[in-house]
Amino acid sequence: MKAMLLAAGLGTRLRPLTDNRPKALVEVAGHTLLEITLSRLRTFGIDEVIINVHHFADMIIEYLKANNNFGMRIEVSREDILLDTGGGLRKAAYFFAPFQPDAPFILHNVDVISTIDLNRIVQFHNEHQALATLAVQDRETSRYLLFDDQAKLCGRRAGNDGEGKLARPSPGAQALAFTGIHVISPHLLELMTEEGAFSIITTYLRLAAQGEKLLAFRATEFYWRDLGSPENLVQAAEDLSRKVFEL
């Protein structure tokens, strides 16, 4: 199974830590975010990964080389300008060719840490024949995705007080927090018409409006933390020391 790791961002919320390094090389308890995420992917049998890079790209490339790619087949997709999550995936689509409908892949942010069972998400994705499956949680966040009573994506909303934007009508849509972990069927890559820099959520909402099946996988029972701020890095290190989760 293959995966793409999103690691091109500037890491502005992590400054000053990212003034002289990419966010992928920021550390938690002596381990870089890149090492942590690659190790988790490898635990689930994923040994072919493409990583998009931009900010201090050469540092990531040298780090991978110094660590023998952590025993994995790793390619790098260098972005001269930031392409966001959707544009980055589209640029790296060649890595997943030929597109085999029964061979989904993982898309994973580098700046999240979790104990979410990737095998369970993939199994859920395959059983429901989804175009994409998004790991979500029932928790507070600044941006929500909206899902109907069949767990199908139908819109998004900013914050608790924001007005929901529906891609298709769905009374009683539930707002859930996205984790930055997706399982994607390669057919989605053929349906991406957006160009340049764009969010993958833009593509998802367009396809949801067209009736495609983009599903929520509820992962509330698992540990998850966004590592995009210094405060959350500290909290993750404390959680690790208290064995709330293990690397």
Side-chain angles (χ1 to χ4, degrees), residues 2-232:
K2 295 181 178 181
M4 180 171 183
L5 191 50
L6 297 169
L10 301 177
T12 52
R13 291 183 299 145
L14 282 170
R15 287 176 177 164
L17 295 175
T18 50
D19 286 343
N20 58 6
R21 79 188 86 173
K23 66 180 178 180
L25 298 187
V26 170
E27 296 184 355
V28 173
H31 300 275
T32 66
L33 305 189
L34 183 56
E35 176 193 355
I36 291 169
T37 310
L38 288 174
S39 295
R40 271 193 51 76
L41 292 174
R42 194 172 59 241
T43 297
F44 289 98
I46 299 167
D47 58 6
E48 296 185 72
V49 180
I50 188 165
I51 305 171
N52 69 336
V53 297
H54 171 76
H55 185 57
F56 291 110
D58 290 336
M59 290 182 68
I60 293 178
I61 293 169
E62 289 302 316
Y63 176 78
L64 290 168
K65 186 183 299 183
N67 288 279
N68 296 312
N69 286 342
F70 294 92
M72 308 168 79
R73 177 202 161 203
I74 295 180
E75 291 194 23
V76 168
S77 176
R78 187 188 288 266
E79 298 179 8
D80 295 329
I81 60 170
L82 282 172
L83 296 175
D84 207 338
T85 52
L89 174 58
R90 188 170 188 184
K91 185 177 189 294
Y94 72 89
F95 184 74
F96 304 100
F99 301 149
Q100 300 174 2
D102 59 346
F105 61 90
I106 301 288
L107 184 64
H108 199 301
N109 289 1
V110 76
D111 56 355
V112 300
I113 191 167
S114 82
T115 61
I116 294 174
D117 188 332
L118 300 183
N119 287 337
R120 281 179 54 186
I121 306 178
V122 173
Q123 181 180 3
F124 176 92
H125 176 88
N126 289 335
E127 288 177 350
H128 291 83
Q129 298 182 321
L131 185 63
T133 299
L134 288 66
V136 296
Q137 295 183 320
D138 188 2
R139 57 175 168 79
E140 290 190 4
T141 185
S142 59
R143 291 176 293 179
Y144 292 95
L145 294 179
L146 305 178
F147 296 87
D148 66 17
D149 57 4
Q150 295 182 320
K152 294 180 180 179
L153 179 67
C154 60
R156 63 180 164 188
R157 190 184 80 197
N160 287 320
D161 301 322
E163 183 177 347
K165 179 180 179 182
L166 292 177
R168 55 181 177 78
S170 183
Q174 183 173 7
L176 295 168
F178 183 39
T179 64
I181 300 171
H182 337 216
V183 179
I184 298 174
S185 293
H187 181 51
L188 180 136
L189 300 172
E190 302 172 304
L191 300 177
M192 297 178 83
T193 58
E194 293 80 8
E195 298 182 353
F198 63 94
S199 168
I200 189 65
I201 301 300
T202 300
T203 300
Y204 286 165
L205 292 172
R206 174 178 60 80
L207 293 173
Q210 296 172 5
E212 296 289 350
K213 187 186 288 187
L214 299 110
L215 299 181
F217 174 86
R218 289 178 174 270
T220 304
E221 73 269 29
F222 295 102
Y223 179 89
W224 178 92
R225 186 167 295 279
D226 168 18
L227 300 179
S229 70
E231 296 80 10
N232 279 350

